[in-house]
Amino acid sequence: MRGIALFGKVHILDTTLRDGEQTPGVSLNLEEKLDIARHLDALGVDVIEAGSVVTSEGERGAMKAVAAEGLRAEICSYVRARTEDVDLALECDLDSVHLVVPVSDLHIRSKLRSDRDSVMRSAVEVTEYARAHGLVVELSGEDASRADEPFLRSIYLAGIDAGAERLCYCDTVGVLVPEKAFEVFSRLSDLPAPVSVHCHDDFGMATANTVSALRGGAAMAHVTVNGIGERGGNTSLEEVVMTLQSLYGIKTEIRSGDLYAISRLVSRLTGIPVAPNKAIVGENAFTHEAGIHVHGLIADTATYEPIHPETVGRKRRIVLGKHAGRSSVELALRELGIECEKRELAEILSRVKELGDKGKRVTDADLQTIAEIVLSIQKEPKVKLEEFTVVCGNRATPTASVKIAVNGTEMLEAGTGVGPVDAAINAIRRAISGVRDVRLEEYHVDAITGGTSALVEVWVTMAMGDRSITARGAGADIIMASVEAVLEGINRLMQLEEDG
């Protein structure tokens, strides 16, 4: 049988396929379990708790398939203190059992309706039975964080005498605190067998408690990918590994560069999305918007990133919104291969902030469209918008008024139409009618991204005499984007006429 020696370094038992799958609504089939198990093995975990053999026949089939994969990791099953559970584990050709026995008086009385002596006898009997059949045994105290510590120690010692190679302390409902975790494991570390720590995240302290337990002497951490599990979830694999590695300088065998990939895999197969602000693997973990932060990143990424994103298989992202600064926009444009002058950059930044104030996050597609619009605008437009107003309602005829400057001369005009966009375009055409006769031949609008605040791109074909030209405008306001497109078309037509 495969076993692991737990002295000398921190080891990892991953229970995504057992405790993680107990997340409400999650049910993995055989192929999905195999896929996750292969990735966990490649990641470098020491033990894979592949499920609970008492769950169902289908569960046992999946666990037997995982055991038959020939993985490097030890393959384990959760079992109760019953010999029939051990028999099922043996049928699945597993390496070890995670033998869980309630140890708090609350669980012993209320759940088992039993007593301490009976629990002790069952733990010893099943441990001996499993060891006699060649299984590695990790004897686990359920609800240990609310148990009487002398009784817990007596169960552990009896289990060791019965052949248990490992022990586990379970913070079943997440009531442990880091200070106590360190103290308890400092005391338990004198036991003649290594002790694992298994924490739940009901109060958001699973990672802190696990790390404190490891510092106190725990030999192995029980974790799940993305911290999934019942109620508030379990200790997060990626958080523990990177906290140990980056903050304490403690290495594990985990290949940290694969953490993001397995996070996405587990999220996809379980259907549980990862919170954007989730540490290490959340989409925002290496995403920056605030201008002052991006300015710092350009100088030195360590200013606002505790680790390089590539360390966990990530990439840095710059997103734009109302908090964006010149550095953010400049860097994002550079990544898109767009160069511009300071005045153009200022206009692009202004438009980005305008969208941000409307609650819109500006995507790469948005930014590229905005930049292209700004860079295509004439340096000295012949027709320039000074003021613009539009009025419409369910009973009112849409009416627009515009004040424009044509070659420096101000003109004020109004127009009506079948809608506010039509009214605005008609007002502009009337305003310049004494100077040029322009026609709108085609009009088309696209939403660059989804949502009611999406950036819209307006394409128009404007004609003057026998010449026509296509122009475009963009913005969160379809009327202003349309006005911008029409004015750009008029300016380009007039420039063409002047150039001959």
Side-chain angles (χ1 to χ4, degrees), residues 232-248:
N234 288 51
T235 303
S236 166
L237 169 106
E238 58 279 358
E239 290 176 13
V240 168
V241 168
M242 295 314 300
T243 296
L244 292 174
Q245 180 175 308
S246 301
L247 303 184
Y248 291 94

Side-chain angles (χ1 to χ4, degrees), residues 185-207:
F185 278 86
S186 295
R187 293 190 292 269
L188 294 179
S189 61
D190 66 356
L191 289 167
V195 187
S196 304
V197 58
H198 179 112
C199 292
H200 284 258
D201 205 33
D202 295 78
F203 286 91
M205 292 195 291
T207 295

Side-chain angles (χ1 to χ4, degrees), residues 78-82 98-124 126 139-148 151-156 168-170 172:
Y78 170 99
V79 296
R80 300 165 299 179
R82 298 182 181 181
H98 178 205
L99 171 57
V100 181
V101 294
V103 291
S104 71
D105 289 330
L106 173 63
H107 274 229
I108 291 171
R109 288 196 308 264
S110 301
K111 188 173 80 168
L112 295 185
R113 301 190 182 280
S114 185
D115 55 61
R116 290 183 177 185
D117 289 340
S118 297
V119 169
M120 179 83 75
R121 285 194 299 272
S122 296
V124 169
V126 177
L139 178 61
S140 196
E142 184 180 18
D143 204 29
S145 50
R146 295 191 292 188
D148 174 61
F151 173 63
L152 175 65
R153 180 177 282 267
S154 68
I155 283 229
Y156 283 160
C168 181
Y169 181 103
C170 294
T172 303

Side-chain angles (χ1 to χ4, degrees), residues 5 12-13 145-146 196 210 212 214 217 223 247 297 459:
I12 301 293
L13 180 151
S145 50
R146 295 191 292 188
S196 304
T210 297
S212 292
L214 292 168
V223 297
L247 303 184
L297 287 169
W459 291 83

